[in-house]
Amino acid sequence: MSESCLNVFHRKKFLSDLSSQKVELLIIGGGITGAGIALDAASRGIQVALVEKSDFSSGTSSKSTKLIHGGLRYLKEFQFSIVRETGKERTTAYNNAPHLVHPEKLILPIVKNGTLGWRSTSFALWIYDLLAGVSKKDRKKMVQKKEVLELIPQFNKHNLVGAGIYSEYRSDDSRLTIEILKKAVSLGALVFNYIEAKEFIYDNGKVSGLVVKDNIENKEHCISSQCIVNAAGPWVDEIRQINKSLGKKRLKLSKGVHLVIKNNKLNLKHSVYFEADDKRMIFAIPREGKIYFGTTDTLYSSSIDNPKTSKQDAIYLLKCMNNAFEGINLELSDVISSWVGLRPLIHEQGKSSSEISRKDEIFISKSDLISIAGGKLTAYRTMAKRVVDLVNKKMKFTANKCQTKKLKLIKLKDELNVFKSIENQLINKYNLDENYAYYLWTRYGLDSKLIINKNPKYSNPFISIIINEFDYCLKNESVLHLLDFLRFHNARVYFYPQSISEFINPLADYAKEKLNWTEEEKLKEINSVNKFLKEAITFE
Ligand code: FAD
């Protein structure tokens, strides 16, 4: 059993060790921003720890459109630096985690009377490729109506002129965050979920530690650190408030909703980025036999912890899809799941949420708390580099230069053969097909082998493999709740919600035994999964 802070059976020991030492850098927030900073710091030899109040990626970093993209729409706003940086980072993300970041062609339809004309689209995509340094073979292509309809036969023919086809990447935001944290831990970082930053400790007016609460054991600890970074996403201002450093520049949160449907009414094989009737841009993306689409972009000021998809949000998105695709007649009852995320944007006077820049910004308080807000999933690595460069300089550490550009998140060797052997074992041992191999591979990469190497324990092979997967997550990803496992570690609640009733009871029994739950705690865990599944398709 691996000795690691990400192994739930060693969590207590590692946490108590952390309380008795002083680290060089302490990060608040286990979303993509915090994870990226932890990896950058650990890979430069900085002693780093990270605390996350819930599960890793449970904030915005599990609720995005899941694209590693250059942000085509930022061209319209002349935000060339964001397009250049995120455009280039796409390839880096792909090179470092090809099991998690997949090349994806996006189809951008051009319609009569739309904002996008043939020439302007062709020009914009040309600049987009140029800024991002896209290789010749992957550069944009303009196609006529006939070819668009061959690719997306159900797209509304009325007014269709043609399309631009360009290259982006697709990923899973939660998995990317978790894999980055795992890599950081392998390089010496100490990272903990369910540890909430409550108060700052000061030394001569400067932050020198945190009082944190273990939300599992219901216990407080103190952690000392030379430097603290606040990477709490939508909660950044809450943390600045605790630090009494909330300045004039504050966050504006914007809500973004995605809905998931089966592919029975719409058989979509390619990702489409289309303009809705109100001129907003909507993504429709096929994934694992389902289609997800979104997003809305509306200013938000209610509870950060529990944003909800309103009926108005859901109806709006269904209407956009029904207008874009012919005869599909999507209704609320077609939705099998949904998620809603909050973009942590930095307030700009007089601008609507869709006009506010997605650029990240760093704030340093009088007590030297460093806060980072804004930004994109795609640019996590360069954001992290900027923060760690700053920490290094400010604290006069003598850390190495940034190492992450060529740092692989998983060991990669002979991928195709490994994938084939996983597939063969799944067929022979578990009677499961290549779709299951794909499911495991795109989540756990080479570690899929650890999941399938064990012999099936249950007469039902599907239940056996799920329990092996849970066991892997207990020991390598600090999974502490059933709902976390199904939301953040494998996204089953979003893409395979119907499968959950098949295994939830034996899985809960297994978890009860391993995590010493009482019968009451076990039932509470099952209820929270069922409640989540219900709420993800109930819109009020
Ligand atoms: P978060 O992921 O929210 O992480 C902050 C963490 O801090 C949370 O996990 C929270 O629990 C924790 N925390 C808060 N308070 C405390 C505390 N007191 N103690 C300990 N921990 C605490 N970007 C892209 O590149 N591509 C996309 O396709 C894309 N699509 C998007 C679609 C939508 C609808 C939205 C909302 C955003 C999208 N983005 C996309 C942007 C991207 O998702 C975000 O920029 C990114 O996920 C923000 O990550 P973060 O780590 O800063 O915040």
Side-chain angles (χ1 to χ4, degrees):
M1 196 188 286
S2 58
E3 275 263 338
S4 152
C5 54
L6 286 175
N7 182 329
V8 290
F9 305 110
H10 301 148
R11 182 176 182 272
K12 245 189 199 169
K13 176 192 165 294
F14 276 89
L15 195 56
S16 119
D17 286 355
L18 177 61
S19 307
S20 62
Q21 54 174 296
K22 185 169 189 163
V23 291
E24 290 177 313
L25 174 62
L26 180 56
I27 302 161
I28 305 171
I32 192 89
T33 308
I37 298 168
L39 177 60
D40 190 299
S43 61
R44 295 196 205 193
I46 295 175
Q47 259 184 307
V48 57
L50 175 147
V51 290
E52 161 56 52
K53 71 172 178 171
S54 179
D55 198 8
F56 304 122
S57 83
S58 57
T60 307
S61 300
S62 52
K63 305 196 187 107
S64 75
T65 311
K66 308 182 191 302
L67 287 174
I68 301 297
H69 65 151
L72 186 58
R73 71 187 193 85
Y74 308 127
L75 267 189
K76 218 168 90 185
E77 294 147 23
F78 303 107
Q79 298 185 32
F80 295 119
S81 61
I82 298 191
V83 179
R84 188 181 296 111
E85 177 176 300
T86 49
K88 291 201 163 135
E89 277 307 295
R90 296 179 305 183
T91 331
T92 308
Y94 170 62
N95 287 339
N96 291 339
H99 72 301
L100 267 180
V101 179
H102 313 281
E104 179 82 7
K105 292 283 180 206
L106 263 93
I107 302 176
L108 184 64
I110 299 165
V111 294
K112 270 183 220 146
N113 305 323
T115 311
L116 307 163
W118 182 278
R119 277 208 201 142
S120 57
T121 303
S122 177
F123 181 63
L125 292 177
W126 176 75
I127 296 193
Y128 193 62
D129 283 347
L130 196 74
L131 287 174
V134 173
S135 66
K136 216 170 181 179
K137 69 175 180 21
D138 287 329
R139 285 189 199 148
K140 65 100 177 147
K141 194 172 130 191
M142 299 300 292
V143 294
Q144 302 291 341
K145 177 174 178 172
K146 186 170 166 276
E147 204 176 323
V148 182
L149 292 172
E150 278 163 15
L151 295 167
I152 32 173
Q154 284 168 279
F155 198 81
N156 201 333
K157 295 173 199 60
H158 192 64
N159 287 338
L160 179 66
V161 176
I165 301 181
Y166 66 107
S167 303
E168 294 283 21
Y169 293 86
R170 203 166 41 78
S171 188
D172 185 284
D173 41 12
S174 283
R175 287 296 329 159
L176 188 61
T177 306
I178 294 169
E179 290 297 342
I180 292 169
L181 286 167
K182 282 159 78 176
K183 184 71 190 179
V185 168
S186 77
L187 296 169
L190 290 168
V191 315
F192 296 93
N193 53 354
Y194 288 97
I195 299 291
E196 182 165 358
K198 287 289 193 189
E199 287 294 337
F200 286 93
I201 302 168
Y202 298 89
D203 186 5
N204 278 329
K206 302 292 179 194
V207 289
S208 65
L210 280 177
V211 177
V212 298
K213 184 168 166 234
D214 183 337
N215 287 332
I216 297 292
E217 302 281 331
N218 209 5
K219 236 172 138 180
E220 278 196 352
H221 299 266
C222 292
I223 306 175
S224 305
S225 179
Q226 294 181 36
C227 181
I228 302 182
V229 168
N230 165 15
W235 295 266
V236 155
D237 280 359
E238 221 172 67
I239 301 289
R240 289 166 80 207
Q241 187 121 38
I242 299 175
N243 180 243
K244 299 190 178 57
S245 61
L246 200 52
K248 275 194 189 138
K249 267 203 173 174
R250 296 183 185 187
L251 289 192
K252 264 244 144 104
L253 302 180
S254 145
K255 185 171 88 158
V257 169
H258 289 86
L259 304 181
V260 189
I261 54 167
K262 284 193 200 160
N263 62 2
N264 53 339
K265 285 190 172 174
L266 173 62
N267 189 5
L268 192 66
K269 295 268 184 282
H270 301 276
S271 294
V272 186
Y273 186 35
F274 65 89
E275 189 177 60
D277 289 354
D278 64 356
K279 311 288 178 212
R280 277 192 43 73
M281 295 301 295
I282 304 286
F283 288 103
I285 300 174
R287 174 174 164 175
E288 296 177 88
K290 317 291 178 313
I291 297 152
Y292 67 92
F293 49 93
T295 167
T296 56
D297 193 349
T298 45
L299 286 178
Y300 181 83
S301 54
S302 308
S303 155
I304 308 180
D305 284 310
N306 201 12
K308 292 242 177 340
T309 302
S310 67
K311 197 167 187 174
Q312 196 185 354
D313 293 327
I315 288 175
Y316 167 78
L317 287 175
L318 292 173
K319 192 170 152 224
C320 291
M321 290 292 283
N322 285 336
N323 288 342
F325 296 91
E326 270 175 16
I328 58 172
N329 291 325
L330 292 178
E331 296 170 13
L332 285 173
S333 56
D334 290 308
V335 178
I336 62 159
S337 196
S338 66
W339 63 85
V340 46
L342 299 176
R343 298 175 187 86
L345 308 176
I346 296 152
H347 175 73
E348 286 178 51
Q349 201 71 43
K351 288 201 171 173
S352 74
S353 61
S354 58
E355 288 168 330
I356 299 177
S357 168
R358 265 57 175 166
K359 222 170 144 349
D360 56 285
E361 214 165 309
I362 297 174
F363 309 103
I364 307 177
S365 78
K366 277 191 187 140
S367 60
D368 281 352
L369 170 69
I370 299 172
S371 298
I372 171 135
K376 307 270 307 157
L377 189 79
T378 309
Y380 81 87
R381 196 193 67 81
T382 43
M383 273 164 71
K385 176 183 180 297
R386 279 195 286 278
V387 172
V388 179
D389 281 345
L390 174 78
V391 168
N392 196 27
K393 196 168 163 205
K394 199 167 169 41
M395 302 309 297
K396 300 193 173 62
F397 294 153
T398 49
N400 299 323
K401 278 197 173 145
C402 179
Q403 309 281 311
T404 51
K405 188 150 190 196
K406 294 205 167 139
L407 193 63
K408 308 277 181 213
L409 293 188
I410 56 161
K411 283 182 241 105
L412 289 169
K413 224 177 166 189
D414 208 12
E415 287 161 67
L416 204 62
N417 279 337
V418 177
F419 183 78
K420 277 276 155 219
S421 88
I422 292 172
E423 206 177 307
N424 286 339
Q425 272 204 61
L426 276 169
I427 294 168
N428 298 333
K429 245 192 202 172
Y430 289 91
N431 204 17
L432 291 165
D433 60 13
E434 74 277 1
N435 288 334
Y436 215 91
Y438 178 83
Y439 163 88
L440 286 176
W441 179 259
T442 51
R443 286 159 177 83
Y444 306 101
L446 282 189
D447 278 2
S448 310
K449 277 167 55 181
L450 301 176
I451 295 169
I452 58 165
N453 274 349
K454 293 181 182 168
N455 284 324
K457 277 201 206 92
Y458 295 77
S459 54
N460 180 333
F462 176 57
I463 294 175
S464 282
I465 199 100
I466 284 279
I467 286 180
N468 289 355
E469 185 189 339
F470 182 74
D471 203 52
Y472 170 84
C473 290
L474 282 178
K475 291 170 188 160
N476 297 279
E477 301 188 351
S478 192
V479 83
L480 288 155
H481 290 292
L482 292 186
L483 182 56
D484 291 344
F485 173 60
L486 301 169
R487 275 177 93 181
F488 310 124
H489 298 257
N490 60 25
R492 269 191 182 270
V493 287
Y494 302 120
F495 297 104
Y496 300 92
Q498 277 97 344
S499 72
I500 291 171
S501 59
E502 286 179 54
F503 60 76
I504 191 73
N505 288 325
L507 176 66
D509 286 336
Y510 183 80
K512 178 186 173 212
E513 185 197 319
K514 292 285 164 189
L515 295 169
N516 287 324
W517 291 338
T518 60
E519 183 64 17
E520 199 186 328
E521 282 170 330
K522 182 191 93 176
L523 294 177
K524 212 167 138 200
E525 289 280 326
I526 298 177
N527 282 344
S528 74
V529 172
N530 290 335
K531 184 166 171 263
F532 180 90
L533 291 173
K534 195 168 164 211
E535 283 180 1
I537 50 169
T538 310
F539 309 107
E540 283 160 6

